[in-house]
Amino acid sequence: MSLNLRAEVLLKTLIERYIADGQPVGSRTLARQAGLELSPATVRNIMADLEELGLVSSPHTSAGRVPTELGYRVFVDTLLKVRPLDSSEVRKLKGELMTPQDTEHLIGSASQIMSKISKLAGIVMVPRRDEKAAFRHIDFIGLSGQRILVILVTDDGSVHNRIISADRKYSPSELEQAANYFNDAYAGISLGKVKRMLLNEIQQAGEDMQRIVHLAVHMARQAIDGEREETEDLVVSGESNLMEIPDLGDIHKLRKLFDAFNTKRDLLHLLDQSMRAGGVKIFIGSEAGYEVLEDCSVVTAPYSADGEVVGTLGVIGPTRMAYEHVIPVVDITARLLSAALSLQGSESGHLETPRQ
Amino acid sequence: MSLNLRAEVLLKTLIERYIADGQPVGSRTLARQAGLELSPATVRNIMADLEELGLVSSPHTSAGRVPTELGYRVFVDTLLKVRPLDSSEVRKLKGELMTPQDTEHLIGSASQIMSKISKLAGIVMVPRRDEKAAFRHIDFIGLSGQRILVILVTDDGSVHNRIISADRKYSPSELEQAANYFNDAYAGISLGKVKRMLLNEIQQAGEDMQRIVHLAVHMARQAIDGEREETEDLVVSGESNLMEIPDLGDIHKLRKLFDAFNTKRDLLHLLDQSMRAGGVKIFIGSEAGYEVLEDCSVVTAPYSADGEVVGTLGVIGPTRMAYEHVIPVVDITARLLSAALSLQGSESGHLETPRQ
DNA sequence: CTTTAGCACTCCCTGTGGTAGAGTGCCAAG
DNA sequence: CTTGGCACTCTACCACAGGGAGTGCTAAAG
């Protein structure tokens, strides 16, 4: 892909222009806009070259050129200069994310603020650190019948609750004993480890363990197992912004996209991919491999808590989006969210004696 | 509004026909469909009468008739016979709502199942019974810095958590003492009462109360106050179903509607209105008084827990919806949700000694 | 060899007119 | 009161032509 300087400049101006107003751009316009002293005819020759390389295409014979996905790819990879964020926007971001709030709200705020600033849809994967987060506290509370409410608190300050059915009814004091046993025995241990320990305990001990211990172990196991599903989740905001974008005018495609927002599976998978690579990543149109994302691009960045990557967030919009603006928004949101989450982690696991 | 039988039959068939295929219906079709032995010309005369009464209108001179909002009103109030639900649909509903799950999931399931069956959007207001629900249990857990995670459990089995900033850092044992104090002092008392008691306690005691008590009271107060906002919430499902409905083809209107789903304020207000009246209520088009609901109808029903109305749910779709199908869906969902919520309430508040 | 001007060509978009179809309103007869 | 008949209206659809935008090609100029 060796483009000479002139061709690069022209491709860049073409894409910028096209992003700005969505019209195919012709040789005359391009010649004037590019700042090079070239005639439209010369530009036409170069456009023919670019078309051969698969970087641009024309919707029909007499309609100017439009970037292809490959064209966008080259653009974002080599030609794009991201412009630093407006200080007012940075302030907005900080204001939204630096106020203390629990993880759930934080995620929601991040998603919303991204969608508000970019005028597109914001997506945030909920953090996946259950396996690593340390167990902090558990509570068993009896409901009607044999149902028991289990509240599980991890070291990072997140709370999960779940209703399970027990084998019989338990008295409040039995439940309290069970909780005490569990809190004493497992405080400070990572959830992943707790899970393995529970499995062992169940297999080995068989019937001869104390009733209370038995109860605690089984209930906790159900609660921790249940977490897995719940945590595979995604927060989407500002979907409706996408409805005003003429590029996505096809109601049918739009509907499929919205369904994807609700199903979440595909998007989660996509976000999962970009968890590994550090920094901002961009998926253009069909690159992502999902049909629903046709004509869409996704700009993602991983975020971390306490120095470890725990999730991904991003913005989703039409392929024709203002990348130079969206990229820094996603980037900075990821950084701010990381900071907020790291602040939030409990110190007590390391610095203080675990609560008993 | 005195319609003779013939006119009623014609209006009914017209609306049924229009609901079925969305086309303005002409006199010839109507004459054949209605089962009355009438010629198109006679039907035309009657249609002119109905038009004068404001029950139908024609989009243009030669285009058949279409029901007006008033026409729909008369239809649902006096002409409509709701058909009982398919037993397979009832099974689906029961399967979804009778499996034990916590309140939050229950609400989500109710909304989803309604949208799935009606192929429209389902909305459920989250229950408002905080003031009445009894306080059950509180936990304070220290996070980094001066931040404290407060977990509040009410008697109905719902869990709320919130992060607050304390005036200084507290040790785990201090926090535990505070929680113990609070759990002992307030167990079984309704949240509304707890709130008032806390206000009193703060005013009266001034500085001379014990440090721990002081801490507990202040933290609990923040948590309980916070609840108010959070609980003003709404769960929407199946919005994307609305995108495939040709009646709502105008992207701009659709966008406004989706914004309303996100803002939630207007919809909550609407649902709030129908909390008082028992049974299914129907808002047709502009009747509701909200611009965004133009061309939409909302079918709502209140639901209860332990015999007391705590919220409203419903379905929202185009004015031209299959009322005779949607109405029983909403009705039964409300009943099933009521049953599920009533099951869920904890008995312990009444039957057992409060946990200490 | 590259750049440029000129020119014919292609395709879209818009507006126009004409026609068929559906349905109405009205009138006069049953 | 009901019905058949008839003139009228409005829409939807089609074909067609003209203007506009932009291209590709060619030949000449740098």
Side-chain angles (χ1 to χ4, degrees), chain A residues 37-206:
Chain A
E37 300 286 313
L38 288 180
S39 74
T42 314
V43 172
R44 281 203 286 278
N45 286 328
I46 303 174
M47 296 316 281
D49 297 346
L50 290 179
E51 187 151 8
E52 214 161 322
L53 289 171
L55 299 174
V56 299
S57 70
S58 44
H60 59 83
T61 335
S62 82
R65 297 314 206 291
V66 155
T68 61
E69 286 185 7
L70 187 58
Y72 278 117
R73 179 84 273 162
V74 171
F75 176 69
V76 299
D77 283 350
T78 71
L79 306 176
L80 182 65
K81 292 270 176 296
V82 304
R83 70 159 194 257
L85 263 195
D86 234 56
S87 70
S88 78
E89 290 181 327
V90 175
R91 254 200 312 276
K92 249 201 283 184
L93 275 162
K94 281 193 179 164
E96 202 71 42
L97 293 175
M98 293 319 254
T99 49
Q101 43 190 333
D102 60 57
T103 306
E104 201 178 323
H105 281 114
L106 216 44
I107 300 283
S109 301
S111 180
Q112 273 183 30
I113 190 73
M114 281 193 298
S115 80
K116 215 177 283 174
I117 292 185
S118 68
K119 307 238 173 63
L120 300 172
I123 48 180
V124 182
M125 180 178 145
V126 309
R128 294 197 182 164
R129 49 176 172 180
D130 297 9
E131 300 284 318
K132 275 160 198 150
F135 167 76
R136 181 74 190 275
H137 184 76
I138 205 163
D139 253 324
F140 303 121
I141 298 181
L143 299 179
S144 65
Q146 306 184 347
R147 301 195 298 180
I148 295 174
L149 171 64
V150 185
I151 300 178
L152 179 72
V153 183
T154 50
D155 222 10
D156 54 16
S158 58
V159 180
H160 303 111
N161 49 285
R162 189 173 172 73
I163 292 180
I164 62 176
S165 295
D167 54 331
R168 65 164 176 90
K169 197 153 176 36
Y170 290 89
S171 75
S173 62
E174 280 178 304
L175 292 174
E176 184 162 358
Q177 279 181 54
N180 283 342
Y181 159 74
F182 205 90
N183 285 326
D184 287 352
Y186 294 93
I189 301 175
S190 82
L191 272 201
K193 212 167 187 177
V194 169
K195 206 175 191 174
R196 285 192 295 277
M197 289 165 76
L198 290 181
L199 277 175
N200 274 342
E201 199 149 342
I202 289 173
Q203 286 181 347
Q204 288 179 10

Side-chain angles (χ1 to χ4, degrees), chain A residues 226-290:
Chain A
E227 272 324 296
R228 248 250 122 90
E229 313 156 21
E230 264 181 53
T231 198
E232 302 242 326
D233 208 2
L234 185 69
V235 175
V236 185
S237 316
E239 308 98 301
S240 56
N241 286 336
L242 300 182
M243 294 204 300
E244 289 209 337
I245 291 170
D247 301 45
L248 308 173
D250 186 347
I251 283 254
H252 251 80
K253 283 185 191 165
L254 205 56
R255 197 244 148 97
K256 278 191 187 158
L257 191 58
F258 273 61
D259 277 347
F261 287 148
N262 290 331
T263 318
K264 296 178 175 178
R265 217 196 58 236
D266 289 352
L267 286 178
L268 270 172
H269 193 245
L270 179 63
L271 289 181
D272 201 46
Q273 282 176 37
S274 53
M275 232 172 108
R276 266 149 286 225
V280 176
K281 212 163 177 210
I282 301 174
F283 299 86
I284 294 168
S286 63
E287 281 181 3
Y290 302 100

Side-chain angles (χ1 to χ4, degrees), chain A residues 100-105 136-137 139-145 147 149 151 153 155-159 161-163 165 169-172 176 179 230 238-241 243-244 249 251-252 254-256 258-259 262 340 343-348 352-353 355-356, chain B residues 100-105 136-137 139-145 147 149 151 153 155-159 161-163 165 169-172 176 179 230 238-241 243-244 249 251-252 254-256 258-259 262 340 343-348 352-353 355-356:
Chain A
Q101 43 190 333
D102 60 57
T103 306
E104 201 178 323
H105 281 114
R136 181 74 190 275
H137 184 76
D139 253 324
F140 303 121
I141 298 181
L143 299 179
S144 65
R147 301 195 298 180
L149 171 64
I151 300 178
V153 183
D155 222 10
D156 54 16
S158 58
V159 180
N161 49 285
R162 189 173 172 73
I163 292 180
S165 295
K169 197 153 176 36
Y170 290 89
S171 75
E176 184 162 358
E230 264 181 53
E239 308 98 301
S240 56
N241 286 336
M243 294 204 300
E244 289 209 337
I251 283 254
H252 251 80
L254 205 56
R255 197 244 148 97
K256 278 191 187 158
F258 273 61
D259 277 347
N262 290 331
L343 254 179
Q344 184 159 103
S346 152
E347 298 159 4
S348 63
E352 302 167 12
T353 37
R355 179 183 180 193
Q356 49 161 344
Chain B
Q101 42 188 335
D102 60 57
T103 306
E104 200 178 325
H105 281 115
R136 181 75 189 272
H137 183 76
D139 253 325
F140 302 120
I141 298 181
L143 300 179
S144 65
R147 302 195 298 180
L149 171 63
I151 300 177
V153 184
D155 223 10
D156 54 15
S158 57
V159 181
N161 50 285
R162 190 172 169 74
I163 291 179
S165 295
K169 198 154 177 34
Y170 290 89
S171 76
E176 185 162 0
E230 264 183 51
E239 308 100 301
S240 56
N241 285 336
M243 295 203 301
E244 288 208 338
I251 282 256
H252 251 81
L254 206 55
R255 197 246 147 97
K256 278 190 188 160
F258 272 61
D259 278 347
N262 291 332
L343 254 179
Q344 185 159 101
S346 152
E347 298 158 7
S348 63
E352 303 168 11
T353 36
R355 180 187 180 187
Q356 50 157 340

